[in-house]
Amino acid sequence: MPNYTANIRDMQFVLHELLKISGQDVPGYADLERAFTEAVLDAAGKVASEVLAPLNAVGDHEGCKLENGAVRVPAGFDKAFAAMKEGGWTALDCNPDYGGQGMPYVINCAVGEMFVSANMAFNMYQGLTHGAVSAIEAHGTEAQKATYLPKMVACDWTGTMNLTEPHCGTDLGLLRTKAEPQADGSYKITGTKIFISAGDHDLAENIIHLVLAKVPGGGEGTKGISLFIVPKVLVNADGSLGARNAVSVGKVEHKMGIHGSATCVMNYDGATGYLLGDLHKGMRAMFTMMNEARLGVGLQGYAVAEAAYQAALAYAKDRLQGRAVTGVANPAGPADPLIVHPDIRRALMDQKSFLEGARAFTFWGATLIDRAHGLKDAEAEGLISLMTPVIKGFLTDKGFEACVQAQQVWGGHGYIEEQGMSQFVRDARITMIYEGANGVQALDLVGRKLAAEGGKPLMGFFEMVKAECKAHDGDDRMKPFTDPLKAASKQMQAAGMFFLQNAAKNPDAALSGSYDFMHLMGHVCLGLMWTRMAAAAHAALEGGASDRAFYEAKITTGRYYMARHLPACGLHLARIESGSETVMGLSVDQF
């Protein structure tokens, strides 16, 4: 099966040479010196490669089982979960008031990338808990926080988010789960939720479900939705566990991938729940989890691809097939390794250039979250809100493509289950679907985020790109980066102008191009990241860096992305400007 080794060198480059985190004024960043982050990442990398990665195939083969109303996780997951808890890895950036370590979110992202690359399905148990902790901390009463957060931060109790129902996914205004108020201030929750990740398992003594439901009199649509804390096991006044709540597992889904993650149908039969946040304001409270989850899913998209790329690279160096067209590269062997062939190089460079750009983009997004939360920085809040659908949608689309490319490098062997490449493809596929399918992300981007705050975040992003290009005027070494970035930025602005001109009179024309715009913007974002990384690499070489090969490879990889991928922006613009006539041209019965 494929091995995984965390790319700590590149993470350190992004954190310290690109983002310069220890020099930022964000609370907690001054402590993030290179030696400190290297120690954290080294330790996490060992957990990823030695504890989690060996269980990846186990989870895929065994899956989760529903036995006598309880879900059993794959063999070895319990010991690995205990090790994660003992090492404090489940609470890196959680509030110290509740037992967390209080590190910035960007460090949690870096560590999270390793854990997802090693075993995406396993990581979902603590990942969903992290989101539930954030929601309760943001919207809960002091009593609720004191009751639930210490146990959840320690992952003695885990958490979930319950949105989807059999008849409604994206359109939550259609949900039917009811919450009947009780005399003691609690509610009786009745309804069925589906696709609930980590909905039940035997890794924790309690599971705290956050459930969207409608209270009578709340009105139609999403305005009437409230959010409730519904424990699997009720909690007594002294914090001890009491009676089992009226919540049960109806089914464990048999999925295409992430078999080690228990995806459950949850039945609530008059279960006791407690209002979280304001009545009829459940969507606002739930989106505390959703926004964090969407950045986390974008991370999943490229993190699984990182593991797949490592396996493809190792295979390309080892597998002997054919001879190099420019001459024999392996005279001692019967054939040359795959990696000498230009098309294999293309596939590997597609993956490498995407992965390193995606890592930089996601870590940068995490610093915006830290800045928004730690400094109450409205500009950072607006910018990360704009970037979230791009991080989620673009990185998962391209991450899945990268996994398919990695499998393709293996040829027929990649299609054989025991080689492990199929699992990367199957696991990555869900990232394009859950936490808001990518088509919905594109609609959110074009329909809401571009015009948010009168377009201020979007204009700020354009100015950021312009300033980055201007900073390198006259530097011929940077022209392979700034010239394509300028062109792509102009194409993105032209697409935005098309939307502005058509949105009111022909909204279909704008929304028909939303998916292309998400990808166009994604390329511009990665182009910006590559321009900044190239500048940092050149600075390191000028400063006499000892590991010149790393920085030279960084520049060459970036030039590949700018030359081979930024031109896609022109294709996306052409599609956008074609409008909706061909998209919407057929009547329904002509399909």
Side-chain angles (χ1 to χ4, degrees), residues 300-310 351 354-355 398-400 402-403:
Q300 286 181 332
Y302 83 81
V304 176
E306 168 69 28
Y309 165 72
Q310 290 187 16
Q351 295 166 64
F354 162 70
L355 290 166
K398 292 298 180 181
F400 177 73
C403 288

Side-chain angles (χ1 to χ4, degrees), residues 36-164:
F36 175 76
T37 59
E38 185 159 7
V40 173
L41 297 181
D42 278 344
K46 290 178 181 176
V47 173
S49 61
E50 297 174 9
V51 178
L52 302 186
L55 294 173
N56 199 34
V58 175
D60 188 52
H61 294 156
E62 291 189 10
C64 298
K65 299 178 176 64
L66 179 60
E67 299 176 350
N68 300 319
V71 176
R72 309 299 180 195
V73 299
F77 273 40
D78 54 348
K79 292 181 180 179
F81 200 69
M84 294 283 283
K85 290 166 56 178
E86 185 178 348
W89 298 113
T90 63
L92 277 182
D93 65 326
C94 295
N95 192 333
D97 291 345
Y98 306 109
Q101 298 187 46
M103 293 187 193
Y105 180 62
V106 68
I107 298 301
N108 188 67
C109 276
V111 170
E113 178 194 318
M114 301 180 190
F115 293 164
V116 171
S117 293
N119 195 326
M120 175 180 165
F122 175 91
N123 196 62
M124 292 179 69
Y125 293 97
Q126 65 263 24
L128 271 295
T129 304
H130 189 279
V133 165
S134 296
I136 293 173
E137 186 170 3
H139 302 285
T141 65
E142 291 304 315
Q144 287 173 335
K145 288 186 278 191
T147 297
Y148 298 107
L149 292 186
K151 290 285 191 179
M152 295 178 72
V153 166
C155 270
D156 292 333
W157 300 350
T158 61
T160 71
M161 51 197 296
N162 283 233
L163 292 78
T164 306

Side-chain angles (χ1 to χ4, degrees), residues 229-496:
I229 297 173
V230 186
K232 174 182 176 179
V233 181
L234 296 172
V235 182
N236 296 322
D238 62 359
S240 63
L241 294 180
R244 175 69 186 263
N245 207 351
V247 53
S248 61
V249 182
K251 180 185 178 184
V252 174
E253 300 288 1
H254 297 283
K255 309 183 297 295
M256 175 180 175
I258 54 169
H259 296 157
S261 175
T263 304
C264 301
V265 174
M266 304 301 300
N267 295 321
Y268 296 88
D269 300 304
T272 299
Y274 308 95
L275 182 67
L276 177 61
D278 296 330
L279 189 65
H280 309 314
K281 302 293 184 182
M283 294 300 294
R284 182 179 67 182
M286 181 60 82
F287 268 90
T288 299
M289 295 178 67
M290 288 293 287
N291 289 333
E292 177 184 303
R294 284 173 176 170
L295 187 139
V297 173
L299 183 148
Q300 286 181 332
Y302 83 81
V304 176
E306 168 69 28
Y309 165 72
Q310 290 187 16
L313 178 61
Y315 188 78
K317 290 180 177 180
D318 182 67
R319 174 75 164 172
L320 302 181
Q321 292 285 284
R323 291 295 189 185
V325 294
T326 53
V328 175
N330 178 34
D336 293 333
L338 282 172
I339 200 167
V340 306
H341 302 301
D343 194 59
I344 295 295
R345 289 292 188 99
R346 174 200 58 80
L348 293 173
M349 287 298 289
D350 278 350
Q351 295 166 64
K352 180 177 172 62
S353 63
F354 162 70
L355 290 166
E356 293 179 17
R359 177 177 294 118
F361 185 27
T362 304
F363 285 17
W364 175 59
T367 66
L368 293 176
I369 290 177
D370 281 333
R371 180 169 291 277
H373 292 174
L375 297 174
K376 307 302 179 186
D377 186 326
E379 184 177 344
E381 182 70 46
L383 192 54
I384 189 56
S385 180
L386 173 68
M387 294 297 161
T388 294
V390 184
I391 291 173
K392 195 283 181 186
F394 180 70
L395 296 190
T396 59
D397 276 356
K398 292 298 180 181
F400 177 73
E401 286 182 19
C403 288
V404 172
Q405 281 188 314
Q407 184 187 38
Q408 186 75 11
V409 169
W410 279 67
H413 291 284
Y415 200 66
I416 303 302
E417 284 293 338
E418 58 260 34
Q419 301 297 345
M421 300 307 292
S422 170
Q423 185 186 350
F424 295 132
V425 174
R426 290 184 286 101
D427 285 356
R429 185 65 182 89
I430 187 59
T431 64
M432 303 160 71
I433 298 172
Y434 65 9
E435 308 305 343
N438 286 357
V440 176
Q441 300 299 324
L443 294 176
D444 177 49
L445 175 64
V446 171
R448 295 177 61 245
K449 299 299 175 62
L450 295 187
E453 300 179 48
K456 183 178 178 182
L458 179 64
M459 292 301 104
F461 176 69
F462 285 136
E463 287 301 313
M464 185 181 298
V465 172
K466 182 179 178 181
E468 186 64 36
C469 293
K470 189 173 182 179
H472 306 296
D473 277 351
D475 188 343
D476 288 341
R477 301 171 308 173
M478 291 298 294
K479 284 182 68 64
F481 294 89
T482 55
D483 286 354
L485 182 58
K486 287 177 186 176
S489 179
K490 288 179 181 177
Q491 289 162 334
M492 180 177 161
Q493 291 176 57

